[in-house]
């Protein structure tokens, strides 16, 4: 069973992932693959109920940069926890490409990754397994507060230590 952790709260997920061989439902928000978007973009672009796209770890958001206005959700896949390309892709979407919609982590998402995902720009995480909602929410809050300092620049979270040092030295 998959739960959606959005902004630190477990919430109902109205979005349906549609595999390439499956029929796209007439109504309701759907998330399609890049291959499906490229093959059927004319018919999909006009959906009234919401459209999202799923990018696998080897698929850069650069491929859809001109189409981002069509997507309310960009789901970035983690095929295994050790594959971190989606972190860079989330940062690229929010920072360089100016995407303002929801960036969602899907796949092998672990509690240890929550803080890094938040800092890189993820808004929502699909969590698989049988975790109680209150535990997921507590884990989220705990993960965000575990470390007070950061070394890498990010979209959210504390100012990196090196910037703090430069600011202090200039004062």
């Amino acid at each position: 069973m998959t739960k959606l952790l959005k902004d630190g709260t477990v919430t109902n997920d109205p979005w349906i992932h549609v595999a390439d061989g499956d029929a796209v439902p007439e109504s309701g928000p759907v998330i399609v693959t890049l291959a499906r978007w490229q093959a059927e973009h004319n018919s999909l672009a006009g959906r009234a109920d919401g459209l999202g796209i799923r990018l696998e770890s080897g698929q850069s958001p650069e491929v859809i940069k001109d189409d981002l206005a069509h997507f309310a959700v960009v789901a970035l896949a983690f095929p295994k926890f050790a594959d971190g390309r989606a972190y860079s892709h989330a940062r690229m979407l929010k920072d360089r490409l100016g995407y303002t919609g929801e960036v969602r982590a899907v796949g092998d998402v672990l509690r240890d990754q929550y803080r890094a995902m938040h800092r890189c720009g993820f808004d929502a995480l699909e969590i698989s397994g049988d975790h109680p909602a209150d535990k997921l929410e507590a884990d989220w809050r705990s993960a965000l507060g575990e470390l007070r300092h950061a070394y890498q620049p990010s979209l959210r979270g504390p100012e990196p230590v090196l910037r703090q040092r430069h600011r202090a030295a200039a004062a």
Side-chain angles (χ1 to χ4, degrees):
M1 180 174 170
T2 301
K3 290 185 172 66
L4 183 66
L5 185 60
K6 185 171 182 174
D7 298 322
T9 303
V10 174
T11 184
N12 290 330
D13 185 9
W15 292 86
I16 299 168
H17 288 267
V18 181
D20 287 341
D22 295 345
V24 177
E26 296 275 333
S27 62
V30 297
I31 298 174
V32 298
T33 65
L34 176 61
R36 186 154 213 167
W37 168 251
Q38 290 172 331
E40 303 173 26
H41 65 276
N42 289 336
S43 62
L44 291 170
R47 285 188 65 85
D49 291 339
L51 179 64
I53 190 164
R54 178 186 172 117
L55 298 177
E56 298 303 323
S57 61
Q59 298 171 326
S60 172
E62 289 280 345
V63 176
I64 58 166
K65 68 181 179 185
D66 295 330
D67 298 327
L68 284 173
H70 294 287
F71 307 117
V73 172
V74 175
L76 301 175
F78 284 85
K80 56 185 175 181
F81 77 92
D83 187 340
R85 291 177 281 184
Y87 291 107
S88 299
H89 293 164
R91 180 88 189 260
M92 178 190 301
L93 279 164
K94 294 286 188 169
D95 199 23
R96 285 202 345 235
L97 301 178
Y99 181 67
T100 57
E102 178 182 299
V103 177
R104 177 183 292 206
V106 299
D108 196 9
V109 176
L110 303 176
R111 185 245 183 251
D112 292 351
Q113 299 168 308
Y114 292 177
R115 182 174 188 264
M117 288 178 174
H118 177 73
R119 288 177 48 81
C120 289
F122 284 96
D123 305 298
L125 317 171
E126 287 185 13
I127 311 293
S128 58
D130 194 23
H131 307 285
D134 58 341
K135 176 157 177 24
L136 284 175
E137 292 171 0
D139 283 350
W140 174 262
R141 286 189 301 276
S142 175
L144 293 188
E146 281 177 349
L147 303 171
R148 292 186 9 223
H149 303 288
Y151 292 98
Q152 300 87 8
S154 69
L155 296 172
R156 303 177 184 133
E159 180 181 36
V161 171
L162 189 58
R163 283 191 190 155
Q164 291 176 32
R165 287 182 184 162
H166 287 293
R167 192 172 27 79

